[in-house]
Amino acid sequence: MAKHIAWEESFKVGHPMIDSQHKRLFEIAEELYELIIAPQEKRDADTTLVLQDCAKYVNFHFGCEEKIMRDSKYEDVEAHLSQHKAFTTFVASLMSDSSRGEKVDLEKLYEFLSDWLVKHICSEDKKLASFVSATPQ
């Protein structure tokens, strides 16, 4: 069973909009975790909905972050964008599998999502927020 994670104050990056969006991503991860422990018929019925919600919200969040990067002339934008692209590619491949009727390994998705969120927030997003707060407006 995947290790359960939840939002912690230590994940705050210091940018109110980014922090609130990260909290929403953890809520989506929680929905995914709930599916893992749910009866099979609920998993079958709700997996596509959770995947769609995840993909939609991640695209929204990444768009917001990427605008912040462009507006602030963030120096490490290419590396950050490549991580966003890797994430969206992974989720898109799972959505494609699901739409073809293939079973999605929810535990694998949850482990990927939770691990990626924690590592990305604690490194890349904290660097971005620090850069933005140090950049004169």
Side-chain angles (χ1 to χ4, degrees), residues 79-98:
H80 202 121
L81 291 177
S82 72
Q83 290 185 14
H84 284 183
K85 184 172 172 62
F87 185 90
T88 55
T89 299
F90 180 77
V91 172
S93 74
L94 290 177
M95 288 184 67
S96 177
D97 292 348
S98 178

Side-chain angles (χ1 to χ4, degrees), residues 98-135:
S98 178
S99 69
R100 289 192 312 271
E102 295 179 27
K103 286 271 189 213
V104 174
D105 185 338
L106 295 177
E107 285 194 46
K108 179 180 173 183
L109 173 58
Y110 180 79
E111 287 174 10
F112 175 83
L113 177 61
S114 58
D115 185 57
W116 193 92
L117 277 173
V118 170
K119 286 180 181 174
H120 187 78
I121 289 170
C122 290
S123 63
E124 298 307 312
D125 287 345
K126 285 190 178 193
K127 280 195 309 188
L128 170 61
S130 177
F131 178 86
V132 171
S133 68
T135 303

Side-chain angles (χ1 to χ4, degrees), residues 14-82:
H15 189 287
M17 181 187 70
I18 293 174
D19 286 334
S20 71
Q21 291 178 6
H22 286 165
K23 285 181 185 178
R24 176 64 187 126
L25 290 169
F26 274 85
E27 291 169 3
I28 292 169
E30 180 66 25
E31 292 170 20
L32 184 57
Y33 186 81
E34 293 297 321
L35 273 183
I36 291 169
I37 61 175
Q40 185 65 47
E41 42 301 331
K42 177 145 178 71
R43 282 194 302 261
D44 292 343
D46 293 353
T47 296
T48 300
L49 295 174
V50 172
L51 280 172
Q52 289 171 342
D53 190 29
C54 180
K56 182 178 175 183
Y57 197 79
V58 162
N59 285 331
F60 166 73
H61 169 65
F62 287 171
C64 292
E65 272 191 8
E66 291 164 12
K67 181 178 181 337
I68 290 169
M69 285 186 255
R70 285 189 304 276
D71 290 350
S72 67
K73 298 185 181 11
Y74 183 52
E75 58 198 16
D76 206 15
V77 67
E78 291 306 318
H80 202 121
L81 291 177
S82 72

